[in-house]
């Protein structure tokens, strides 16, 4: 077989880099569970009518077809996000769930994009959502933001980040107060501020959204407002626009910013940013985006918001609020560009050396002692000279080699050699463990890698 | 939207049942890593020529097609096991891996089966493999068996099980010694012993495999031999058949049984079982199957073996030995039939009660104190009477409700109520934690469930 080549858009990690992803997932899920979010996994496929029910035919869905089926596809496609399957899961199991229902979910999703740089066709997302039946108190908006900020903050090897929050009620209320008739259109045009020059947006607000020059100007001024505290409220009021919906939105946004204050820091910011709109999505209140400091070109790594109807079955409506972290979007570039990596490609902290094949049962027994103390351990694949065994460990980044010494009286003792320092000490395999930081592979940053 | 119905063959767990799967995965991966197996994840798709390279067109592969692509499929299908992607990963990254390469992998696989009872179209497998470059010492056969037995043994809530081991060299050598010309055919016929009556198999050995009556009889006798120790060797020798390959197989099988002895127990058996053949698979030495005690109708929950060439790139050959646990095959029936479940559907061990909405910030702060001690905690969704909050906790199986009492002097103290016993004690949220067994949901068995 010829050497296979990678498939564009389907990133895979080498073992040492997979360590980064494993540890990120462990940290995220630990934080989510500390906050009472339960885990679910949904199947990879959904019926096509579910996948397309929001009219999202623009999404590049992968449709499944059985190899031996000649009469068309199976009517199913791979999910392109975790929200559609979650909504379906909630509807399907509503009678068996308790509301408000909190869940975390970390799974792969697929999009049938044409292969191109930076576009993934398979990638992992980490979502948290809280869904209610008919009602879902607003304070859950604050909760999901705070939980995700806390989870990301635990990843100490990441650069800082900035959670940008806005509120659809605020902007819609403002546009109404300004006198706009098609507020959705205004929002869609304002959403282009990160792609088009201000003057072009000002023009579109007049030509496409039917605003006059003064109205357009007010909407553009609103979009420039941002603050790390409640001061944005006064800045909005200074524009002299009034509406009930605007007031509601201001109060909600101020509550999110205030509620997140306890989890912010020098490098972790939660800001009211009034240009964030999440244009085409179906949010109805709070909206979130997140930028990684120094890696703003990655776009928003973590987005979400409040939707008044995640799903509805005629009898009940299920309002929800959620936030979704693009795990691959975050990690793949950081790993590929060498900013993050794992300290070694194997879990083993100790290699038990082997002088001769006959000593394998004894070496296995010693290894088992170490494992029962929680020390990942492997036994040399073959008996070999000591120098070769050291090199075996070195190649894998295994920090310690343990070897047996038998004296003239036939007594066996053990020594552990730290192959980085060369230091060698007598140890009792029944009680000895390496230092905690050596027990498992660590995530290391560019500075440590170089 | 009408209530969605489950898709046949795509099992999903309710949150409490997902707890079982989560804990099984955590235990397995912990054991694998203690033995130095590193984790990888491979993409869900492979090029069709990879999926079908063993000529396995009989496999029901799901082929992918982009929704908006009118000119045929994408040339890719979903993997139907974890061996094909692993072999491809090894070849693709051979230059960056150290051999022998140990890996564990727990992922979903897909098979485009027609919907029918007990046939999964999406299911999870847990694989460990060790692969070498050009050579892979035999002792790794013992290692993978022992690691998987140890991992399964850690799942204390499972019934006992029986790992059945055989060796292709042994049976092939025996058939050659008997004088069979088409040993593969003999093996395929013998493999039908679990489906057909002995007399029918005896007949097929003569009509299809070209044996005479005495030869057929010897092969059938071989298949009846089993033992928990090396005594099978004498039983085989007593049949008076001789060949070099047979001797090699006998020695290897005896070594696996002896090597696994330290991890066996009253309920966990490792047996030499000479009827195991794994008929159509491409094993070349050791073969494994596993039966769950009392659930033999599930078939083999865990199978594998040695293959002399997992992959080959012209320059090198990559021999391997591995074993694959059918996680869904094991857990879905046990959960669906009520033999196993999670003790509660939420991670929360404590609910912080709320007398009035204004007390939410204080309740959040107390919850955060508990979380920093590692206690999964949620705050009441809304302020309510104490009785209603107890019922909220009860419905979710949250064992403790924490509430604040403020005395006449304005001093606030906290009490924790165990809602099962009704016992209520004064606690300091900065230091108090529930008993360890209440901290996380537990896997419980039928006896405990009823």
């Amino acid at each position: 077989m010829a050497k296979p080549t990678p498939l564009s858009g389907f990133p895979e990690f080498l073992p040492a880099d997979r360590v980064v992803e494993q540890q990120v997932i462990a940290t995220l899920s630990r934080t989510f569970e500390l906050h009472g979010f339960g885990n679910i996994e949904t199947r990879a496929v959904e019926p096509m009518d579910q996948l397309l029910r929001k009219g999202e035919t623009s999404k590049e869905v992968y449709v499944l077809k059985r190899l031996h089926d000649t009469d068309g596809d199976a009517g199913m496609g791979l999910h392109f996000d975790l929200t559609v399957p979650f909504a379906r899961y909630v509807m399907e199991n509503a009678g068996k769930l308790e509301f408000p229902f909190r869940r975390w979910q970390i799974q792969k999703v697929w999009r049938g994009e044409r292969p191109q740089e930076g576009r993934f066709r398979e990638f992992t997302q980490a979502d948290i959502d809280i869904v209610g039946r008919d009602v879902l108190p607003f304070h859950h908006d604050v909760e999901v933001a705070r939980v995700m900020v806390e989870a990301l903050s635990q990843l100490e090897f990441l650069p800082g980040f900035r959670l940008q929050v806005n509120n659809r009620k605020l902007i819609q209320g403002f546009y109404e107060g300004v006198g706009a008739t098609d507020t959705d259109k205004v929002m869609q045009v304002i959403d282009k501020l990160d792609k088009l020059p201000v003057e072009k947006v000002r023009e579109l607000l007049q030509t496409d959204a039917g605003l006059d020059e003064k109205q357009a100007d007010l909407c553009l001024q609103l979009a420039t407002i941002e603050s790390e505290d409640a001061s944005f409220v006064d800045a909005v009021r200074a524009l002299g626009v009034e509406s009930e919906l605007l007031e509601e939105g201001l109060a909600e946004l101020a509550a999110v910013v205030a509620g997140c204050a306890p989890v912010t820091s020098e490098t972790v910011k939660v800001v009211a940013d009034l240009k964030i709109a999440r244009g085409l999505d179906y949010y109805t209140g709070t909206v979130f985006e997140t930028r990684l400091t120094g890696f703003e070109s990655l776009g928003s790594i973590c987005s979400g918001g409040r939707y008044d109807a995640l799903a509805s079955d005629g009898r009940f409506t299920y309002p929800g609020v959620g936030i979704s972290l693009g795990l691959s979007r975050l990690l793949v570039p950081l790993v590929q560009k060498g900013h993050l990596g794992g300290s070694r490609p194997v879990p083993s902290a100790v290699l038990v050396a082997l002088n001769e094949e006959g000593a394998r049962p004894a070496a296995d027994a010693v290894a088992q002692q170490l494992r029962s103390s929680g020390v990942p351990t492997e036994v040399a694949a073959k008996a070999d000279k000591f120098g070769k065994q050291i090199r075996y460990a070195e190649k894998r980044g295994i920090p310690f080699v343990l070897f047996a010494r038998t004296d003239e009286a036939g007594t066996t003792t053990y020594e552990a050699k730290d192959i980085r320092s060369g230091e060698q000490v007598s140890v009792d395999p029944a009680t000895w463990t390496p230092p905690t930081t050596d027990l498992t592979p660590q995530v290391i940053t560019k500075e440590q890698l170089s």
Side-chain angles (χ1 to χ4, degrees), chain A residues 150-429:
Chain A
E150 191 183 317
L152 285 170
S153 302
Q154 304 287 318
L155 306 171
E156 288 156 10
F157 41 79
L158 284 188
F161 62 91
R162 194 181 163 82
L163 180 75
Q164 298 154 293
V165 196
N166 198 0
N167 190 294
R168 284 276 180 97
K169 292 177 190 168
L170 189 163
I171 46 182
Q172 197 192 328
F174 186 92
Y175 301 155
E176 283 172 14
V178 156
T181 47
D182 186 350
T183 56
D184 278 3
K185 191 73 209 171
V186 176
M187 200 174 63
Q188 281 170 37
V189 173
I190 288 288
D191 210 25
K192 293 181 178 164
L193 275 171
D194 57 349
K195 293 187 200 91
L196 299 177
V198 177
E199 285 321 306
K200 182 67 194 167
V201 173
R202 188 189 307 273
E203 187 188 316
L204 288 174
L205 283 173
Q206 295 171 65
T207 54
D208 288 23
L211 301 187
D212 64 26
E213 203 179 326
K214 181 156 177 292
Q215 289 171 325
D217 201 53
L218 281 168
C219 293
L220 283 170
Q221 282 185 59
L222 184 77
T224 64
I225 295 172
E226 57 171 79
S227 71
E228 290 179 24
D229 53 27
S231 64
F232 74 90
V233 177
D234 288 339
V236 174
R237 292 225 172 95
L239 298 178
V241 175
E242 283 179 11
S243 91
E244 212 174 298
L245 195 62
L246 170 61
E247 283 306 311
E248 210 180 305
L250 285 169
E252 288 191 1
L253 183 53
V256 173
V257 173
C260 287
V263 289
T264 60
S265 70
E266 199 56 44
T267 54
V268 173
K269 303 290 182 193
V270 175
V271 297
D273 185 335
L274 276 56
K275 71 176 168 297
I276 302 298
R278 310 273 329 137
L280 292 169
D281 289 319
Y282 39 97
Y283 297 111
T284 51
T286 306
V287 286
F288 306 110
E289 293 194 358
T290 312
R291 258 87 191 172
L292 203 61
T293 311
F295 295 87
E296 287 78 5
S297 63
L298 295 179
S300 175
I301 56 157
C302 187
S303 315
R306 153 75 69 148
Y307 24 82
D308 282 344
L310 170 68
S312 168
D313 58 12
R315 209 167 143 225
F316 297 108
T317 312
Y318 300 89
V321 60
I323 188 160
S324 171
L325 170 67
L327 205 62
S328 303
R329 186 169 202 165
L330 171 66
L331 295 184
V332 172
L334 289 178
V335 165
Q336 282 178 350
K337 289 174 186 160
H339 292 281
L340 291 179
S343 60
R344 58 181 191 253
V346 294
S348 315
V350 177
L351 173 73
V352 179
L354 203 60
N355 308 320
E356 39 136 5
E357 200 52 39
R360 184 170 297 282
D364 280 339
V366 167
Q368 204 63 1
Q369 279 188 301
L370 290 171
R371 291 177 193 127
S372 68
S373 311
V375 184
T377 303
E378 57 183 275
V379 175
K382 60 178 180 134
D384 223 329
K385 287 184 196 132
F386 193 61
K388 284 210 172 176
Q389 308 226 359
I390 297 285
R391 276 195 293 284
Y392 180 100
E394 264 170 358
K395 278 184 184 172
R396 288 159 178 79
I398 302 174
F400 292 92
V401 176
L402 191 84
F403 56 96
R405 267 189 205 286
T406 305
D407 66 17
E408 287 160 7
T411 310
T412 300
T413 55
Y414 293 90
E415 306 218 352
K417 186 186 184 83
D418 182 329
I419 66 163
R420 297 155 302 186
S421 65
E423 199 191 346
Q424 193 164 313
V425 290
S426 266
V427 298
D428 175 357

Side-chain angles (χ1 to χ4, degrees), chain A residues 33-176:
Chain A
E33 301 216 329
L34 280 173
H35 285 267
F37 287 73
N39 180 229
I40 66 165
E41 275 209 352
T42 54
R43 61 190 188 223
V45 306
E46 296 295 331
M48 289 306 293
D49 57 352
Q50 282 284 334
L51 290 174
L52 304 178
R53 78 191 170 92
K54 297 270 177 191
E56 291 166 303
T57 41
S58 64
K59 295 270 196 246
E60 283 292 356
V61 175
Y62 277 123
V63 183
L64 300 191
K65 183 182 164 305
R66 292 172 58 233
L67 180 61
H68 298 293
D69 228 344
T70 46
D71 48 350
D73 63 55
M76 301 184 295
L78 296 175
H79 56 221
F80 53 77
D81 69 8
L82 300 179
T83 305
V84 170
F86 175 57
R88 189 265 312 154
Y89 180 95
V90 167
M91 302 271 287
E92 187 176 317
N93 299 298
K96 296 166 190 158
L97 302 174
E98 293 295 334
F99 295 95
F101 174 52
R102 279 175 183 74
R103 82 87 175 78
W104 67 270
Q105 192 171 352
I106 300 184
Q107 279 183 252
K108 288 184 176 145
V109 305
W110 294 269
R111 295 190 187 173
E113 306 272 0
R114 290 187 184 281
Q116 74 187 82
E117 179 69 23
R119 283 292 178 97
F120 297 132
R121 296 194 281 175
E122 173 179 83
F123 53 101
T124 302
Q125 290 195 306
D127 283 26
I128 53 173
D129 285 88
I130 305 173
V131 61
R133 184 152 56 193
D134 284 343
V135 288
L136 183 71
F138 164 75
H139 62 80
H140 292 297
D141 291 33
V142 184
E143 185 180 2
V144 296
R146 206 163 47 196
V147 172
M148 188 57 92
V149 168
E150 191 183 317
L152 285 170
S153 302
Q154 304 287 318
L155 306 171
E156 288 156 10
F157 41 79
L158 284 188
F161 62 91
R162 194 181 163 82
L163 180 75
Q164 298 154 293
V165 196
N166 198 0
N167 190 294
R168 284 276 180 97
K169 292 177 190 168
L170 189 163
I171 46 182
Q172 197 192 328
F174 186 92
Y175 301 155
E176 283 172 14

